[in-house]
Amino acid sequence: MITHIELQLKLPELETFRPNMAYALYGALCGCMEPGLADHLHTQEITPLRQHVRPGPEPRQCVWVLDLFREAQQLTSLLQSW
């Protein structure tokens, strides 16, 4: 099963949309994971988390899109609380 999550985010006032924002968001997510989960996800042959950002529907917004597989589905409640 795949869990698909889309989080609409508001950009800081002087920030413009950049596709590489996904890397920073992923780093923040890794910092909030249960200890050891980030290491475990990075040792898998197939990464169980796919993510990217796209421009949002309004100016100064973006949408963080995540698809979670297997062990990464543990992150669903954490992401929904953001």
Side-chain angles (χ1 to χ4, degrees):
M1 185 167 102
I2 300 169
T3 301
H4 179 82
I5 297 174
E6 294 190 12
L7 299 172
Q8 191 167 319
L9 306 173
K10 183 176 177 181
L11 298 173
E13 190 165 327
L14 300 177
E15 190 71 54
T16 58
F17 172 78
R18 293 173 288 116
N20 65 350
M21 292 174 165
Y23 184 76
L25 291 167
Y26 178 71
L29 178 61
C30 287
C32 296
M33 290 180 191
E34 293 180 19
L37 180 58
D39 291 335
H40 179 71
L41 295 179
H42 288 107
T43 61
Q44 302 300 303
E45 186 173 316
I46 297 174
T47 305
L49 186 150
R50 181 179 64 193
Q51 55 97 31
H52 68 278
V53 292
R54 67 173 188 250
E58 300 290 330
R60 294 189 38 235
Q61 289 183 348
C62 68
V63 179
W64 188 20
V65 180
L66 299 108
D67 293 313
L68 309 174
F69 311 85
R70 299 188 311 253
E71 298 90 348
Q73 290 178 326
Q74 298 175 42
L75 301 171
T76 302
S77 60
L78 173 64
L79 287 163
Q80 290 174 340
S81 71
W82 284 12

